[in-house]
Amino acid sequence: MKNTPAPAARDALKQPDDLRPVYDAAFDKVIGALRRGFQEAVPLAQAIALAGANLGDYVAGHPQTVKIVGNSLQPTDNKTKAELEKLPGEVARPGAQYKEAQQKLRGVLQGN
């Protein structure tokens, strides 16, 4: 962990030598695990959001060649179809990793 506010405060804490290992272990279990969970989940959430925005921008920028029918996108030509087939995969690609990271983070938050 970088020397950010919580670790810096921990490092500055005056405590007996025999207490430090116990405190450090508790700190890592509570603060360190939470921080690692967010460090894993946040970039994945950002990637999903960016890919979703890119998909939305593509659809909005191609109103003549992409039709929205119900909850699906229907391209009207082969070029658009080829371009459009790539974009939903970009949204879904980090999904499984994000779900796993989310479950780990939920476990940390619930004290598991």
Side-chain angles (χ1 to χ4, degrees), residues 4-109:
T4 54
R10 178 199 59 196
D11 293 344
L13 185 64
K14 303 287 186 219
Q15 55 187 319
D17 290 340
D18 61 335
L19 180 58
R20 179 154 301 274
V22 175
Y23 181 83
D24 286 347
F27 183 90
D28 186 59
K29 183 177 180 182
V30 176
I31 304 300
L34 186 60
R35 182 170 186 211
R36 286 187 297 277
F38 277 109
Q39 285 177 325
E40 184 179 351
V42 169
L44 294 167
Q46 289 173 324
I48 292 167
L50 180 59
N54 289 340
L55 175 60
D57 287 347
Y58 184 88
V59 171
H62 295 84
Q64 302 302 319
T65 58
V66 178
K67 304 297 177 201
I68 301 172
V69 179
N71 63 353
S72 66
L73 302 173
Q74 295 185 351
T76 60
D77 63 52
N78 288 334
K79 179 180 181 247
T80 303
K81 181 180 179 182
E83 292 172 350
L84 193 58
E85 284 176 349
K86 297 174 191 172
L87 296 171
E90 295 296 318
V91 176
R93 184 170 295 122
Q97 287 177 295
Y98 178 70
K99 186 175 181 179
E100 184 179 317
Q102 196 177 32
Q103 288 172 337
K104 286 184 205 174
L105 187 55
R106 189 175 294 118
V108 170
L109 290 169

